[in-house]
Amino acid sequence: MATKRNYAAEYAKYQGTPEQIAKRSERNKARRAYEKANGDLPSTVDVDHKKAMSKGGTSKASNLRAVPQSENTSFSRTKTGAMKSQISKRERKK
């Protein structure tokens, strides 16, 4: 039987760190900026950066686009969680 997930410990170890709080704040700012320019989005849609923040992108409206959650989380990642490529596996198959 699976053990219950300890959300408090998870938050204390990772999500509550200053670095992750700052990153979450940037994501929220990007979504607000996109919605201000283009209207409200459903919760099933993510705001994606055309050029990733880790690769030098910004949160300006010209660098944002709305994509389904499944497409926004499909990028290949390294062991540390960094993106290997900005082209998703789905896009490479086309």
Side-chain angles (χ1 to χ4, degrees):
M1 187 170 140
T3 59
K4 288 190 175 186
R5 190 170 170 179
N6 188 342
Y7 291 99
E10 184 178 315
Y11 184 84
K13 288 181 183 177
Y14 182 73
Q15 296 172 1
T17 62
E19 178 185 4
Q20 293 307 316
I21 291 171
K23 286 183 179 182
R24 184 171 56 246
S25 174
E26 285 297 316
R27 289 191 301 271
N28 291 340
K29 285 179 191 175
R31 185 174 184 98
R32 282 195 306 271
Y34 186 86
E35 287 183 337
K36 185 176 182 180
N38 299 297
D40 289 340
L41 295 172
S43 61
T44 58
V45 175
D46 281 347
V47 173
D48 180 41
H49 292 84
K50 294 175 187 174
K51 183 174 184 180
M53 297 286 284
S54 62
K55 306 240 184 222
T58 65
S59 287
K60 292 183 180 178
S62 61
N63 190 41
L64 301 174
R65 62 183 172 188
V67 295
Q69 288 176 340
S70 60
E71 287 183 27
N72 196 32
T73 57
S74 64
F75 295 104
S76 297
R77 304 265 177 188
T78 63
K79 289 181 181 180
T80 61
M83 281 194 306
K84 288 182 183 177
S85 172
Q86 286 187 289
I87 302 171
S88 69
K89 292 175 187 174
R90 185 176 296 132
E91 289 176 358
R92 273 189 231 130
K93 288 180 183 178
K94 290 180 182 179

